[in-house]
Amino acid sequence: MRRVPDDDPLGGMRRRLEEDLLGHEPREGFADRCWVLHTAHEGRRRLRWGDLLARTGRRLEDWRYTPSWRVFEGLPLPEGFGHPSPGEIDRECLGRLVEVVARHSADGLRTECYWAQAAIEDACAPVPVRRGRLDEAVAHHDAGPGRGGTHSTQFPAHWWPPDHSWFVVTDWDLSATEVFGSRALIADLLADDTLEAVRHPSVAEVQDGEPGWRDTGHPSA
């Protein structure tokens, strides 16, 4: 992926990216949206959020806030539980998400996209943005910090094609990635057997609330 000049306005997107420190969540312009939950593990085995919550008699639908590590706070977790990654999509989710969005992109896996970091990584500097194809995403993830890679930043928090047919954002504080796009794209994500994609309130919809469960018979998490 190649770096975009810091003075490139990105069609008006740069200002929004720099104003929303934790991640820019679009408020309009897309027909539908959903969350892709980052991968949790029980030992080496992938563990779906829904399956884990069901063991404690809970459902994600009853969580009043956005999908984050707070969902699991105070719950009896299995031995060897690996929390879903906060603020950065994991490699397993990324690989499959790229495959699905490619089916709804002008040039498939060869679709050129913008890849932008979260402003909070360095609030005093311009948001780093790159251009690159969808099929470069996993290699870029592998080259990141903590993975013996070649660059010091996390995987980009935002990615989208120049035609704005879809938009992906991973909020710095959350353990899920939000996808905006056509109804067909979101339907494909929700139906995918590999990804755990769900409908859940957006950041904007819960920003004045407090993390906790609707079911008052259980202690808040």
Side-chain angles (χ1 to χ4, degrees):
M1 294 186 183
R2 59 193 181 278
R3 182 74 179 259
V4 174
D6 290 342
D7 60 357
D8 187 330
L10 309 174
M13 279 297 297
R14 183 173 291 279
R15 178 181 57 82
R16 298 178 188 137
L17 297 175
E18 294 181 347
E19 288 176 350
D20 296 335
L21 289 180
L22 301 180
H24 171 66
E25 182 183 70
R27 304 294 178 91
E28 58 186 6
F30 297 96
D32 208 352
R33 51 168 288 278
C34 71
W35 292 95
V36 173
L37 306 180
H38 297 173
T39 307
H41 290 91
E42 184 174 3
R44 295 186 177 182
R45 184 176 69 87
R46 182 184 179 191
L47 180 62
R48 297 176 74 87
W49 292 37
D51 293 341
L52 175 58
L53 291 174
R55 297 179 188 177
T56 66
R58 297 190 185 278
R59 305 180 310 157
L60 186 61
E61 298 96 301
D62 296 323
W63 177 249
R64 296 195 308 256
Y65 215 61
T66 43
S68 74
W69 60 272
R70 299 293 298 272
V71 171
F72 305 103
E73 190 177 37
L75 299 183
L77 300 175
E79 184 176 353
F81 178 69
H83 278 82
S85 59
E88 182 179 35
I89 192 169
D90 59 89
R91 189 182 195 276
E92 185 176 357
C93 282
L94 173 64
R96 183 57 182 160
L97 180 54
V98 163
E99 291 175 358
V100 177
V101 299
R103 299 202 298 260
H104 298 265
S105 302
D107 296 312
L109 286 169
R110 298 188 64 80
T111 298
E112 283 273 329
C113 297
Y114 290 106
W115 307 82
Q117 307 299 134
I120 197 172
E121 288 191 47
D122 188 349
C124 296
V127 170
V129 182
R130 293 174 173 81
R131 280 285 297 259
R133 300 190 311 268
L134 278 172
D135 59 8
E136 297 178 275
V138 172
H140 188 72
H141 186 280
D142 290 346
R147 296 180 283 270
T150 58
H151 58 83
S152 59
T153 55
Q154 291 193 169
F155 188 79
H158 315 85
W159 31 296
W160 71 97
D163 66 6
H164 290 271
S165 55
W166 49 262
F167 186 86
V168 175
V169 56
T170 305
D171 187 283
W172 185 265
D173 278 346
L174 303 183
S175 302
T177 290
E178 202 170 9
V179 183
F180 298 79
S182 66
R183 291 186 176 87
L185 168 57
I186 302 307
D188 271 3
L189 290 170
L190 292 169
D192 192 80
D193 291 334
T194 301
L195 295 170
E196 189 174 6
V198 298
R199 294 195 183 279
H200 202 72
S202 67
V203 174
E205 289 169 331
V206 300
Q207 62 184 355
D208 296 324
E210 292 290 335
W213 296 94
R214 289 193 184 91
D215 179 4
T216 57
H218 293 284
S220 293

